[in-house]
Amino acid sequence: MSIPNPSFAPSHWNEKVGLARMLCGGVIMDVTNAEQARIAEEARAAAVMALERVPADIRREGGVARMAPVARIREIQETVSIPVMAKARIGHFVEAQVLQELKIDFIDESEVLTPADESNHIDKHAFKIPVVCGARNLGEALRRIGEGAALIRTKGEAGTGNIVEAVRHMRLIQGEIRRLTLLRPDELMAAAKELQAPYELVVEVAKTGKLPVPNFAAGGVATPADAALMMALGAEAVFVGSGIFKSGNPAKTARGIVLAVTHWDNPAEMRRVMEEFDSPMRGLDIRDLPEEALLQQRGW
Amino acid sequence: MERPPCIGVLALQGSYDLHLGALEKLGVPARKIRLPEDLAGIQGLIIPGGESTVMSGVARDCGLFQPLQQAGAAGLPIFGTCAGAILLGQGGGFPERLGLAPVILKRNAYGRQWDSFEKILPLKPFAAPFQCIFIRAPKIELQEPGIDSLEVLGWDGPDPILVQYRNLLLSTFHPELTEDLRVHRYFVERARC
């Protein structure tokens, strides 16, 4: 019996990666209702991410975190004119199919939600709309691209307001890419074996020195300076989860982070941005979190 | 040999890196435009694809909105792709437009990402057709037929997709997403004269 998944692969790839490229230099903001979506759009979000609870609340309240309620997603879609993304659980292709039926613009197969499958991710080639996935290292990023992800983001550690894990993941991915570019062609199969990544993608990265899809930062961005730091480390755009609506002044925080993603390489402009910024979310030290509380361990 | 012009690429948000890459392949000096002072000395400007709401708002925040309007009105050649075209054209409400071209740009006119598409279409300036990629694309509405010096250079059925109006070039598709440099070359050649 075949799974009833309409396969669009490999067509629509240009449109999928194309939308990811249009989000570059922008900020994608987590929102849980229409009012937050409106604030995000006015604060110059490049897209909003619809979810049931922001990661900091998922972390605090526990329970199973699922796709956002359909009515909530609709309300957000009706409120804003920018792209609307939504999260599906890892491996939960039916949630993803429902999101596609809702004409969501981008699906996030996200470790922030409770995984639905502990072995397999969604076959993202089977979707006409693009899917983004998190990664902690190059092998994980290339496995997700192999499954059809049109965009990669660092996992970081969502809901902590602590940038340290996003920095770790971005430095690791960039470092592993640089290392591949130094290898001889006859060393790339061994590299693919070591990375547990598709050989063809390893060859492509070795040749071009970059991922075949854009690479954004996520998981712990709480201030404009955090966002600028991730851009300086090679991120092409930034996702902000709890950092905006758990801050003292969401609109101001959002606008500051947007400006930081534009002026990340200009310290004088960054000083101006940081002068305006005063009330970040309260953060968590990763070392205080027990191993099982780490969201980044989800996905394989 | 004549020195090629320096082209600015508005680098507030969107596909600016792809436009810079295309200009580099053409051997055209280019620079990112993020602050008003960056505009000095450029002979052409590209406004990339991305989100028009973000570019409009950030241009305001960076003090670039009026300088861009003035430069366009003074005759600086400007090429806007998708969101860039939205900013160049007219259209009420959100976001605030530069309003330099006498055409209405209707945002997300085809629908959402589900309705994004790719099509090989003929464009007037070129002998061979062009791979046009439309991402949540706008539509150009010609207000009244026969506006002086407004020329439609490409159509998708009833909809104009590439329009030249005096110093302004507007495309609803994304030439920067392809390896084909013909639209960029066409713009740069016009910026030179």
mmCIF file of all heavy atoms in Angstrom, chain A residues 89-108:
data_model
loop_
_atom_site.group_PDB
_atom_site.id
_atom_site.type_symbol
_atom_site.label_atom_id
_atom_site.label_comp_id
_atom_site.label_asym_id
_atom_site.label_seq_id
_atom_site.Cartn_x
_atom_site.Cartn_y
_atom_site.Cartn_z
ATOM 1 N N ARG A 89 4.603 19.045 14.491
ATOM 2 C CA ARG A 89 5.497 18.201 15.281
ATOM 3 C C ARG A 89 6.442 17.411 14.379
ATOM 4 O O ARG A 89 6.057 17.036 13.254
ATOM 5 C CB ARG A 89 4.662 17.222 16.124
ATOM 6 C CG ARG A 89 4.069 17.888 17.349
ATOM 7 C CD ARG A 89 3.215 16.915 18.132
ATOM 8 N NE ARG A 89 1.815 17.003 17.724
ATOM 9 C CZ ARG A 89 0.863 16.214 18.210
ATOM 10 N NH1 ARG A 89 1.162 15.285 19.092
ATOM 11 N NH2 ARG A 89 -0.382 16.368 17.814
ATOM 12 N N ILE A 90 7.634 17.125 14.845
ATOM 13 C CA ILE A 90 8.590 16.310 14.083
ATOM 14 C C ILE A 90 7.922 14.988 13.709
ATOM 15 O O ILE A 90 7.381 14.307 14.579
ATOM 16 C CB ILE A 90 9.886 16.068 14.900
ATOM 17 C CG1 ILE A 90 10.700 17.362 15.015
ATOM 18 C CG2 ILE A 90 10.731 14.962 14.252
ATOM 19 C CD1 ILE A 90 11.927 17.257 15.905
ATOM 20 N N GLY A 91 7.949 14.684 12.410
ATOM 21 C CA GLY A 91 7.402 13.423 11.924
ATOM 22 C C GLY A 91 5.894 13.404 11.759
ATOM 23 O O GLY A 91 5.341 12.432 11.247
ATOM 24 N N HIS A 92 5.209 14.476 12.168
ATOM 25 C CA HIS A 92 3.738 14.471 12.109
ATOM 26 C C HIS A 92 3.273 15.019 10.759
ATOM 27 O O HIS A 92 2.869 16.171 10.635
ATOM 28 C CB HIS A 92 3.161 15.292 13.264
ATOM 29 C CG HIS A 92 1.780 14.858 13.656
ATOM 30 N ND1 HIS A 92 0.804 14.556 12.714
ATOM 31 C CD2 HIS A 92 1.207 14.654 14.869
ATOM 32 C CE1 HIS A 92 -0.296 14.193 13.350
ATOM 33 N NE2 HIS A 92 -0.080 14.231 14.663
ATOM 34 N N PHE A 93 3.307 14.141 9.735
ATOM 35 C CA PHE A 93 3.011 14.642 8.388
ATOM 36 C C PHE A 93 1.548 14.986 8.207
ATOM 37 O O PHE A 93 1.207 15.747 7.309
ATOM 38 C CB PHE A 93 3.522 13.685 7.303
ATOM 39 C CG PHE A 93 3.046 12.273 7.391
ATOM 40 C CD1 PHE A 93 1.830 11.913 6.867
ATOM 41 C CD2 PHE A 93 3.844 11.302 7.999
ATOM 42 C CE1 PHE A 93 1.389 10.604 6.950
ATOM 43 C CE2 PHE A 93 3.421 9.989 8.082
ATOM 44 C CZ PHE A 93 2.181 9.633 7.564
ATOM 45 N N VAL A 94 0.685 14.466 9.073
ATOM 46 C CA VAL A 94 -0.725 14.856 8.939
ATOM 47 C C VAL A 94 -0.931 16.296 9.421
ATOM 48 O O VAL A 94 -1.629 17.080 8.771
ATOM 49 C CB VAL A 94 -1.662 13.868 9.661
ATOM 50 C CG1 VAL A 94 -3.094 14.384 9.659
ATOM 51 C CG2 VAL A 94 -1.595 12.510 8.966
ATOM 52 N N GLU A 95 -0.294 16.672 10.536
ATOM 53 C CA GLU A 95 -0.351 18.090 10.925
ATOM 54 C C GLU A 95 0.162 18.968 9.782
ATOM 55 O O GLU A 95 -0.425 20.010 9.465
ATOM 56 C CB GLU A 95 0.484 18.346 12.199
ATOM 57 C CG GLU A 95 -0.236 17.983 13.484
ATOM 58 C CD GLU A 95 0.524 18.423 14.752
ATOM 59 O OE1 GLU A 95 1.701 18.862 14.659
ATOM 60 O OE2 GLU A 95 -0.063 18.310 15.835
ATOM 61 N N ALA A 96 1.255 18.522 9.151
ATOM 62 C CA ALA A 96 1.827 19.304 8.045
ATOM 63 C C ALA A 96 0.858 19.373 6.863
ATOM 64 O O ALA A 96 0.719 20.421 6.222
ATOM 65 C CB ALA A 96 3.167 18.705 7.615
ATOM 66 N N GLN A 97 0.175 18.261 6.579
ATOM 67 C CA GLN A 97 -0.806 18.269 5.479
ATOM 68 C C GLN A 97 -1.956 19.219 5.779
ATOM 69 O O GLN A 97 -2.450 19.921 4.892
ATOM 70 C CB GLN A 97 -1.346 16.847 5.242
ATOM 71 C CG GLN A 97 -0.331 15.931 4.560
ATOM 72 C CD GLN A 97 -0.727 14.463 4.644
ATOM 73 O OE1 GLN A 97 -1.637 14.083 5.372
ATOM 74 N NE2 GLN A 97 0.001 13.629 3.904
ATOM 75 N N VAL A 98 -2.388 19.239 7.047
ATOM 76 C CA VAL A 98 -3.467 20.159 7.428
ATOM 77 C C VAL A 98 -2.995 21.605 7.253
ATOM 78 O O VAL A 98 -3.724 22.452 6.718
ATOM 79 C CB VAL A 98 -3.920 19.894 8.887
ATOM 80 C CG1 VAL A 98 -4.871 20.985 9.363
ATOM 81 C CG2 VAL A 98 -4.580 18.523 8.990
ATOM 82 N N LEU A 99 -1.763 21.868 7.655
ATOM 83 C CA LEU A 99 -1.228 23.235 7.491
ATOM 84 C C LEU A 99 -1.165 23.607 6.020
ATOM 85 O O LEU A 99 -1.456 24.743 5.639
ATOM 86 C CB LEU A 99 0.159 23.343 8.147
ATOM 87 C CG LEU A 99 0.165 23.246 9.676
ATOM 88 C CD1 LEU A 99 1.598 23.230 10.200
ATOM 89 C CD2 LEU A 99 -0.607 24.404 10.303
ATOM 90 N N GLN A 100 -0.795 22.649 5.187
ATOM 91 C CA GLN A 100 -0.755 22.932 3.743
ATOM 92 C C GLN A 100 -2.163 23.216 3.209
ATOM 93 O O GLN A 100 -2.365 24.119 2.402
ATOM 94 C CB GLN A 100 -0.115 21.770 2.980
ATOM 95 C CG GLN A 100 -0.176 21.957 1.469
ATOM 96 C CD GLN A 100 0.866 21.146 0.726
ATOM 97 O OE1 GLN A 100 2.016 21.548 0.610
ATOM 98 N NE2 GLN A 100 0.474 19.998 0.231
ATOM 99 N N GLU A 101 -3.141 22.427 3.671
ATOM 100 C CA GLU A 101 -4.524 22.671 3.256
ATOM 101 C C GLU A 101 -4.997 24.062 3.689
ATOM 102 O O GLU A 101 -5.828 24.675 3.029
ATOM 103 C CB GLU A 101 -5.463 21.610 3.862
ATOM 104 C CG GLU A 101 -5.359 20.244 3.216
ATOM 105 C CD GLU A 101 -5.754 20.265 1.750
ATOM 106 O OE1 GLU A 101 -6.786 20.876 1.419
ATOM 107 O OE2 GLU A 101 -5.006 19.685 0.936
ATOM 108 N N LEU A 102 -4.470 24.541 4.818
ATOM 109 C CA LEU A 102 -4.821 25.880 5.305
ATOM 110 C C LEU A 102 -4.121 26.973 4.505
ATOM 111 O O LEU A 102 -4.285 28.155 4.780
ATOM 112 C CB LEU A 102 -4.427 26.032 6.783
ATOM 113 C CG LEU A 102 -5.348 25.356 7.800
ATOM 114 C CD1 LEU A 102 -4.674 25.336 9.172
ATOM 115 C CD2 LEU A 102 -6.664 26.098 7.875
ATOM 116 N N LYS A 103 -3.274 26.545 3.525
ATOM 117 C CA LYS A 103 -2.505 27.485 2.709
ATOM 118 C C LYS A 103 -1.572 28.325 3.583
ATOM 119 O O LYS A 103 -1.412 29.528 3.370
ATOM 120 C CB LYS A 103 -3.426 28.414 1.898
ATOM 121 C CG LYS A 103 -4.402 27.683 0.991
ATOM 122 C CD LYS A 103 -3.765 27.355 -0.346
ATOM 123 C CE LYS A 103 -4.646 26.463 -1.193
ATOM 124 N NZ LYS A 103 -5.717 27.184 -1.853
ATOM 125 N N ILE A 104 -0.988 27.664 4.566
ATOM 126 C CA ILE A 104 0.052 28.329 5.337
ATOM 127 C C ILE A 104 1.226 28.553 4.368
ATOM 128 O O ILE A 104 1.372 27.829 3.386
ATOM 129 C CB ILE A 104 0.427 27.431 6.556
ATOM 130 C CG1 ILE A 104 0.911 28.266 7.715
ATOM 131 C CG2 ILE A 104 1.438 26.372 6.203
ATOM 132 C CD1 ILE A 104 -0.188 28.846 8.531
ATOM 133 N N ASP A 105 2.049 29.565 4.591
ATOM 134 C CA ASP A 105 3.103 29.877 3.621
ATOM 135 C C ASP A 105 4.367 29.036 3.812
ATOM 136 O O ASP A 105 5.118 28.823 2.861
ATOM 137 C CB ASP A 105 3.452 31.368 3.702
ATOM 138 C CG ASP A 105 2.288 32.232 3.265
ATOM 139 O OD1 ASP A 105 1.938 32.184 2.073
ATOM 140 O OD2 ASP A 105 1.704 32.935 4.101
ATOM 141 N N PHE A 106 4.616 28.594 5.048
ATOM 142 C CA PHE A 106 5.855 27.876 5.359
ATOM 143 C C PHE A 106 5.573 27.009 6.581
ATOM 144 O O PHE A 106 4.957 27.496 7.528
ATOM 145 C CB PHE A 106 6.959 28.893 5.712
ATOM 146 C CG PHE A 106 8.302 28.632 5.097
ATOM 147 C CD1 PHE A 106 8.851 29.513 4.180
ATOM 148 C CD2 PHE A 106 9.042 27.517 5.454
ATOM 149 C CE1 PHE A 106 10.112 29.308 3.609
ATOM 150 C CE2 PHE A 106 10.292 27.292 4.897
ATOM 151 C CZ PHE A 106 10.831 28.189 3.976
ATOM 152 N N ILE A 107 5.984 25.756 6.563
ATOM 153 C CA ILE A 107 5.812 24.878 7.730
ATOM 154 C C ILE A 107 7.139 24.767 8.461
ATOM 155 O O ILE A 107 8.185 24.628 7.827
ATOM 156 C CB ILE A 107 5.356 23.464 7.282
ATOM 157 C CG1 ILE A 107 3.976 23.541 6.613
ATOM 158 C CG2 ILE A 107 5.323 22.505 8.468
ATOM 159 C CD1 ILE A 107 3.584 22.254 5.883
ATOM 160 N N ASP A 108 7.112 24.818 9.781
ATOM 161 C CA ASP A 108 8.298 24.561 10.595
ATOM 162 C C ASP A 108 8.116 23.203 11.258
ATOM 163 O O ASP A 108 7.244 23.051 12.127
ATOM 164 C CB ASP A 108 8.458 25.674 11.645
ATOM 165 C CG ASP A 108 9.742 25.528 12.471
ATOM 166 O OD1 ASP A 108 10.532 24.601 12.194
ATOM 167 O OD2 ASP A 108 9.940 26.348 13.388
#
